Amino acid sequence: MKKVLLIINPRAGKGLIKGSVLSVVDILIKNDMDVTIYTTQRRLDAYEVARERAGEFEMVICSGGDGTLDEVVTGLLDGKHTCPVGYIPAGSTNDFAHSLRIPSKMTEAARIVANGKPFACDIGSFGKNYFVYIAAFGVFTEVSYKTNQDMKNLIGHLAYVLEGAKSIFNIKTYRLRIETRDVTLVGDFIYGMVANSESVGGFRNITGKNIRLDDGLFEVVLIRKPATPLDWEPILSGLLTRDVDNEHVYFFKADWVKITTEEEIPWTLDGEDGGKHKNVEIRNLKQAVQIMVKKE
């Protein structure tokens, strides 16, 4: 039997994994998996367990939100482990699961873990840290980790919208120098994201269409400071239509991004607090981690 470690975040999403864990484990065992279960007790617990114990197993499976997946992947990379990752999404948004076509029904996701194929997926490095699908700063980015877990569990996506609405009239602006291999921008920005996902915050296609998760390139979106309230209309329109000629919103691809500012900027990595930084270098680690997906 294949030895696997199942890491469960029991507080993720609406806590539905609590009612599905027996069915999930039953599916894994029936597919010749010897399952060791670990339930996380605190933040970074999944990271520590993956880093320290992944070498004992042929696969590490995690059930939780994108933040739980982030911890597991970071733990594997820091521990120099190469085993594949199985993902059973149980969070509020599950952006990356949508991009990988992993179903939200946990038993179906468990069958993909047991019978699917490994997909070599790009991962982002952020200084000494990593992210699975997004690094972002600016308006709305603090929402996901400032919204408490109980509120996320209760109202899901609406929690993010409500928290974001509170700060819409007090938007922080950052004076930035942004460099890639092909683009250099200097100016005042209210938002930026470096993503490897079709879905962000539950919104599909905000990073564009025909996104590939293994091409070694990020999708970069940057929003300049609106000069007047009237500028919000072209900003929102540009985001919805991905208008590349929009003077307020920039869209481009890059495998390396350097962002420099004179003040510390709070970042979010996969919806979790990424700390405050003046200078960051973000690199695409092409096909760095294998994640189980459905066979075509």
Side-chain angles (χ1 to χ4, degrees):
M1 298 181 73
K2 178 183 289 186
K3 290 185 64 177
V4 302
L5 174 62
L6 173 58
I7 300 174
I8 298 172
N9 178 357
R11 285 183 55 78
K14 298 178 175 65
L16 293 179
I17 186 62
K18 296 176 182 178
S20 303
V21 65
L22 290 179
S23 297
V24 166
V25 172
D26 184 57
I27 289 169
L28 299 178
I29 291 175
K30 284 179 177 176
N31 284 274
D32 297 324
M33 290 184 168
D34 180 2
V35 185
T36 297
I37 300 175
Y38 184 89
T39 57
T40 60
Q41 306 298 308
R42 62 189 183 281
R43 185 174 181 270
L44 295 181
D45 205 6
Y47 161 77
E48 293 170 4
V49 172
R51 183 190 63 190
E52 300 299 327
R53 298 197 58 191
E56 305 170 25
F57 301 91
E58 296 174 71
M59 181 188 296
V60 175
I61 306 167
C62 65
S63 183
D66 293 326
T68 306
L69 177 64
D70 174 280
E71 287 192 26
V72 168
V73 168
T74 300
L76 292 177
L77 291 171
D78 280 350
K80 308 289 193 245
H81 303 297
T82 58
C83 62
V85 176
Y87 185 30
I88 301 174
S92 300
T93 55
N94 303 315
D95 284 316
F96 201 60
H98 290 308
S99 299
L100 291 170
R101 307 294 187 266
I102 297 174
S104 57
K105 188 174 181 179
M106 288 181 223
T107 51
E108 293 180 8
R111 291 188 180 94
I112 289 175
V113 170
N115 300 304
K117 65 176 182 179
F119 170 71
C121 183
D122 297 345
I123 298 296
S125 72
F126 183 92
K128 295 181 179 180
N129 209 334
Y130 301 97
F131 62 94
V132 175
Y133 76 99
I134 186 171
F137 70 87
V139 62
F140 296 123
T141 59
E142 296 182 8
V143 170
S144 60
Y145 58 82
K146 283 190 174 179
T147 306
N148 69 55
Q149 188 65 54
D150 291 334
M151 187 176 180
K152 289 183 187 179
N153 293 347
L154 180 63
I155 57 177
H157 292 87
L158 186 57
Y160 298 97
V161 177
L162 291 176
E163 286 291 327
K166 295 177 184 177
S167 60
I168 195 69
F169 298 108
N170 188 29
I171 297 173
K172 177 69 176 176
T173 300
Y174 300 99
R175 183 73 178 176
L176 305 177
R177 178 181 177 86
I178 300 159
E179 301 172 69
T180 73
R181 300 189 195 280
D182 303 309
V183 176
T184 299
L185 299 170
V186 178
D188 296 324
F189 293 85
I190 62 170
Y191 177 80
M193 70 176 175
V194 181
N196 189 45
S197 176
E198 295 178 358
S199 174
V200 175
F203 297 96
R204 303 297 297 272
N205 299 323
I206 194 171
T207 56
K209 298 181 179 179
N210 302 315
I211 303 299
R212 289 187 56 190
L213 307 182
D214 62 348
D215 61 357
L217 294 172
F218 293 121
E219 281 65 45
V220 182
V221 180
L222 298 162
I223 303 177
R224 282 192 179 273
K225 174 186 177 182
T228 71
L230 295 177
D231 290 336
W232 277 111
E233 183 176 347
I235 287 174
L236 295 174
S237 174
L239 287 172
L240 291 172
T241 63
R242 287 189 58 82
D243 179 4
V244 295
D245 296 321
N246 191 308
E247 62 179 325
H248 303 284
V249 187
Y250 297 90
F251 301 95
F252 53 87
K253 293 179 180 289
D255 66 344
W256 171 81
V257 182
K258 181 178 181 181
I259 298 179
T260 308
T261 182
E262 293 182 357
E263 63 177 310
E264 290 188 330
I265 297 178
W267 285 80
T268 176
L269 304 179
D270 293 335
E272 302 295 330
D273 189 353
K276 296 181 179 181
H277 308 273
K278 287 185 178 181
N279 305 295
V280 297
E281 284 198 38
I282 302 171
R283 299 181 183 275
N284 188 295
L285 306 180
K286 187 175 181 180
Q287 301 177 8
V289 171
Q290 297 186 85
I291 299 179
M292 300 301 293
V293 298
K294 188 175 182 178
K295 289 182 179 178
E296 295 180 356

